[in-house]
Amino acid sequence: MNLKNILIALLVLSLFIETTIFSFPFIFAFSILLYILFPDARTVFSVFAASLLIDVLKAAPPGVSALAIFITLLAIDLYRRVFEIKDYKIMLLIICAFSFAYAKFASYTDNLIVYLVIFGGFGLLFAYFHKKKLLW
């Protein structure tokens, strides 16, 4: 199983985690990560389907999450055209900033410490795997 399929599986799994266990924009964060790593049509379709499902599950107006995700993806494309995104630390910083802004907009938890702990943990995890050469 390749990395893209694993991330799409995490996207589907996060639908249920986000609506039942922990109110954190996992769909938004995984969508951005998936698009940064694999900017193709299949990714955009998967992100669109997951964002519509999360809107339905959270009883939000359909398309609000999709619109926010696609605006973020356009901003990332603009950034990608100007700068090269190669460092995982920059990717995590971008994902954390946009996720926090989306959380303020979409009534998720907006405690900055929670975001710093979660994305700091992801940063430590990426650093460990990158150092051991276990990550792409």
Side-chain angles (χ1 to χ4, degrees):
M1 189 177 238
N2 62 9
L3 181 64
K4 185 174 184 177
N5 290 336
I6 291 171
L7 286 174
I8 288 176
L10 282 174
L11 191 69
V12 171
L13 178 67
S14 62
L15 281 169
F16 303 107
I17 292 172
E18 188 173 322
T19 57
T20 58
I21 298 172
F22 190 58
S23 178
F24 184 81
F26 289 114
I27 297 291
F28 189 82
F30 282 132
S31 297
I32 295 172
L33 178 64
L34 193 63
Y35 186 75
I36 287 174
L37 295 176
F38 307 104
D40 60 356
R42 180 179 173 208
T43 302
V44 172
F45 179 74
S46 301
V47 166
F48 182 71
S51 62
L52 284 178
L53 280 173
I54 197 64
D55 285 342
V56 168
L57 289 173
K58 289 189 71 167
V64 172
S65 295
L67 183 63
I69 288 172
F70 286 124
I71 288 171
T72 304
L73 296 182
L74 287 174
I76 287 173
D77 263 351
L78 273 165
Y79 183 80
R80 186 180 286 172
R81 289 175 195 249
V82 176
F83 303 105
E84 244 342 273
I85 300 176
K86 292 289 184 190
D87 191 20
Y88 68 91
K89 295 173 194 168
I90 302 264
M91 286 191 328
L92 281 176
L93 184 65
I94 289 170
I95 294 170
C96 181
F98 279 115
S99 294
F100 185 71
Y102 174 70
K104 291 282 227 183
F105 170 72
S107 71
Y108 286 96
T109 180
D110 59 352
N111 190 352
L112 185 59
I113 295 172
V114 171
Y115 285 85
L116 292 178
V117 167
I118 289 175
F119 285 107
F122 283 141
L124 291 175
L125 190 68
F126 282 142
Y128 173 75
F129 284 123
H130 187 68
K131 183 179 177 183
K132 298 285 186 178
K133 304 290 185 215
L134 299 173
L135 195 63
W136 65 90

